[in-house]
Amino acid sequence: QVQLVESGGGVVQPGGSLRLSCEASGFTFNTHGMHWVRQAPGKGLQWVAFIRNDGSSTFYGDFVKGRFTISRANSKNTLYLQMVSLRPDDTAVYYCARDRFDSDTYFYGTPDYWGQGTRVTVSS
Amino acid sequence: DIVMTQSPDSLAVSLGERATINCKSSQSVLYTSNNKNYLAWFQQKPGQPPKLLIYWASTRESGVPDRFSGSGSGTDFTLTISNLQAEDVAVYYCQQYDLVPFTFGQGTKLEIK
């Protein structure tokens, strides 16, 4: 069965950096695009970033403004989110999620399988 | 960016009755070349990640009970939950995946009356 396990969250000071990881299993990782979606405490869902199956294209939410970088290592079945210049409003649970469609079928789509999330707190 | 607006923000429905949640996009998410609406619905229960219910506006994800149905096209969409069960208590989100950045509605909290 599809499993996504995030790690790397924690408490960081404003202006600091963090790298999130998401280890995938149960499907052919290099055939699907992947998403990061976040949820601030008590708030709704906010899409963060997407990367194509082969890493050839990446897209970001407007609020990222060059501070985050999504990447993947298909040989390790792992997705990453490098975050720098973190702000208090980046405090959230960060979910990685698989794209519903394989990349040969659609360029991108909607998330189907989600991990349990990793919590990021930006505070001094 | 495409703005997704859900209504109502919350609703309470009796067990066995029907719940209706609306979602409106600020521009059409219908891709005319394939006649597909790039609209999904998610269910999120407390302490859990979201669960995909519906994609292409009306295609039920595998394993989702058939009491969940999606309809609509262009800019106006509806999620209908028939014969409401206690386990349907959750927050429901619509999402467009037509244009980057993908955007979610603000969520609708569904409770039992």
Side-chain angles (χ1 to χ4, degrees):
Chain A
Q1 71 282 19
V2 174
Q3 283 197 313
L4 300 167
V5 179
E6 301 95 337
S7 61
V11 180
V12 60
Q13 291 189 339
S17 301
L18 217 52
R19 188 176 86 153
L20 307 183
S21 299
C22 172
E23 189 168 337
S25 61
F27 68 102
T28 306
F29 185 66
N30 64 10
T31 61
H32 286 260
M34 296 293 293
H35 301 261
W36 286 100
V37 178
R38 71 182 188 181
Q39 187 167 34
K43 302 297 184 182
L45 302 171
Q46 185 177 35
W47 178 79
V48 176
F50 170 82
I51 185 168
R52 284 266 294 170
N53 65 312
D54 58 2
S56 59
S57 295
T58 58
F59 303 95
Y60 297 92
D62 293 343
F63 65 92
V64 168
K65 297 189 188 305
R67 301 180 301 126
F68 296 177
T69 303
I70 188 172
S71 62
R72 63 193 296 159
N74 285 347
S75 61
K76 298 180 181 180
N77 286 353
T78 303
L79 174 72
Y80 303 101
L81 185 68
Q82 177 70 50
M83 304 185 292
V84 301
S85 302
L86 283 163
R87 310 183 302 224
D89 62 358
D90 293 318
T91 295
V93 173
Y94 284 73
Y95 296 102
C96 79
R98 188 186 79 162
D99 195 87
R100 172 67 177 72
F101 311 109
D102 68 82
S103 294
D104 286 342
T105 308
Y106 292 96
F107 195 84
Y108 49 57
T110 189
D112 59 355
Y113 288 94
W114 298 60
Q116 290 297 313
T118 186
R119 187 173 301 275
V120 172
T121 302
V122 184
S123 173
S124 54
Chain B
D1 297 2
I2 298 178
V3 177
M4 308 299 291
T5 304
Q6 293 180 225
S7 61
D9 289 334
S10 64
L11 77 162
V13 176
S14 300
L15 291 172
E17 297 299 307
R18 183 186 332 187
T20 300
I21 300 170
N22 300 301
C23 174
K24 189 175 185 68
S25 57
S26 60
Q27 63 189 76
S28 176
V29 298
L30 172 63
Y31 192 47
T32 53
S33 65
N34 61 9
N35 200 36
K36 289 184 181 295
N37 288 282
Y38 284 54
L39 188 286
W41 288 97
F42 294 87
Q43 174 194 66
Q44 188 178 31
K45 297 180 179 180
Q48 296 185 18
K51 174 185 176 182
L52 177 64
L53 297 175
I54 304 278
Y55 58 97
W56 300 137
S58 61
T59 301
R60 201 177 302 114
E61 178 69 321
S62 174
V64 173
D66 60 8
R67 64 178 183 274
F68 291 89
S69 62
S71 62
S73 184
T75 61
D76 292 279
F77 301 91
T78 299
L79 175 69
T80 301
I81 309 169
S82 304
N83 186 22
L84 189 74
Q85 303 295 301
E87 62 262 33
D88 300 334
V89 168
V91 179
Y92 292 85
Y93 297 92
C94 62
Q95 184 227 11
Q96 67 81 18
Y97 52 99
D98 181 33
L99 290 178
V100 173
F102 305 137
T103 43
F104 290 89
Q106 80 276 18
T108 295
K109 187 175 184 179
L110 175 60
E111 299 173 315
I112 303 296
K113 187 186 292 182

